[in-house]
Amino acid sequence: MAQRCLKCLKYTMCVANFLCFMCGVAVLGLGVYLMVTFKFTILTPSLASFSVANMLLISGIVITCVSFLGFLGALKENRCLLLTFFMLLFFLMLVELAAACLLLMYEAQIAEWVEKDLNDGLKKAKTGRNETVLSEWDLLQNTFHCCGVNNASDWGRNVPKSCHEPPRNGTTPAYKPGCLATLKTWFAENFLVTGISVIVLCIIEVLGMCFAMTLFCHISRTGLGYKL
């Protein structure tokens, strides 16, 4: 009976990690596609390193590497790979929890940092010399239906087309809310979803660690698999 349960655990780990591996490949492919085709920022215009494409690339690489280790370790009953898989999951969980705690502790400082970054990006866009920053501001304003940092007056006389709403009654009024207030509202509305996602992800990682350590201990007791 115990052997059957362990066999079931082994193949469950293989299937779960294979599915995660395929998801990681899909995320990685999407990141490459967005990087080649689009230039879309996730936070503010001048934070190019936080683009959606870069985030997807990093996430895809991490998911594929970790899930591959788990799949191969369970399939081959390799203690070294299983232990590495366990340690990586444990490290990732610590990083996620640390990042969540830092966001809660330094929420005010992060808000100030985002505001400063928006103002710096707006100055570069107003000069007209940096086309990349200007196009990213256009995308930000079109996506969140906002204009400038605080309002349309931040652009002075040269208000970009992305600040204007679709034509109504022959007029094209500018979006009233600024991007700073809109971003704060967006983060507040998605805070609960983000928290739930982190909790679910941590539960999945804990289950993965439990499965890996159970299989690791069984292999150690029976003397099977590759030795450390």
Side-chain angles (χ1 to χ4, degrees):
M1 184 66 181
Q3 290 295 328
R4 289 182 180 179
C5 291
L6 288 168
K7 284 283 185 182
C8 180
L9 177 62
K10 171 184 173 179
Y11 291 116
T12 300
M13 275 195 67
C14 288
V15 172
N17 281 288
F18 178 76
L19 292 175
C20 289
F21 179 81
M22 296 305 296
C23 291
V25 171
V27 170
L28 184 60
L30 180 61
V32 173
Y33 173 75
L34 290 176
M35 179 169 285
V36 173
T37 310
F38 301 104
K39 185 78 173 179
F40 186 76
T41 53
I42 191 171
L43 289 178
T44 56
S46 63
L47 294 178
S49 58
F50 287 93
S51 68
V52 171
N54 289 339
M55 298 294 285
L56 289 176
L57 279 173
I58 295 172
S59 301
I61 292 171
V62 171
I63 293 171
T64 50
C65 291
V66 174
S67 58
F68 179 76
L69 283 176
F71 172 79
L72 196 61
L75 184 65
K76 298 294 185 181
E77 297 186 0
N78 188 311
R79 287 187 288 171
C80 182
L81 291 178
L82 286 172
L83 187 60
T84 304
F85 175 71
F86 175 89
M87 294 301 295
L88 284 175
L89 284 182
F90 182 70
F91 175 74
L92 287 173
M93 187 175 68
L94 288 182
V95 170
E96 291 160 8
L97 293 175
C101 291
L102 288 173
L103 285 174
L104 290 174
M105 291 172 59
Y106 297 100
E107 184 178 357
Q109 289 85 339
I110 292 173
E112 293 176 359
W113 177 50
V114 171
E115 183 177 4
K116 180 180 181 299
D117 190 78
L118 281 170
N119 285 315
D120 292 342
L122 184 65
K123 289 179 182 178
K124 293 179 181 178
K126 286 171 69 175
T127 60
R129 298 175 182 176
N130 196 325
E131 293 295 331
T132 301
V133 175
L134 183 59
S135 63
E136 290 173 351
W137 261 101
D138 288 338
L139 188 55
L140 179 68
Q141 292 175 151
N142 282 323
T143 303
F144 290 95
H145 303 298
C146 58
C147 186
V149 179
N150 299 303
N151 49 54
S153 63
D154 293 334
W155 287 100
R157 296 180 180 180
N158 300 318
V159 180
K161 293 181 180 179
S162 58
C163 268
H164 295 284
E165 302 178 19
R168 293 183 304 178
N169 300 325
T171 61
T172 55
Y175 292 118
K176 292 182 179 180
C179 291
L180 179 62
T182 305
L183 283 172
K184 287 182 179 179
T185 303
W186 185 82
F187 279 120
E189 291 175 350
N190 290 274
F191 183 79
L192 180 59
V193 176
T194 304
I196 293 174
S197 301
V198 171
I199 293 172
V200 171
L201 188 58
C202 287
I203 291 173
I204 293 173
E205 289 169 346
V206 169
L207 289 174
M209 288 190 292
C210 292
F211 287 176
M213 189 52 63
T214 303
L215 194 56
F216 175 86
C217 293
H218 167 70
I219 296 170
S220 299
R221 285 197 304 268
T222 57
L224 299 175
Y226 292 97
K227 295 183 179 180
L228 292 173

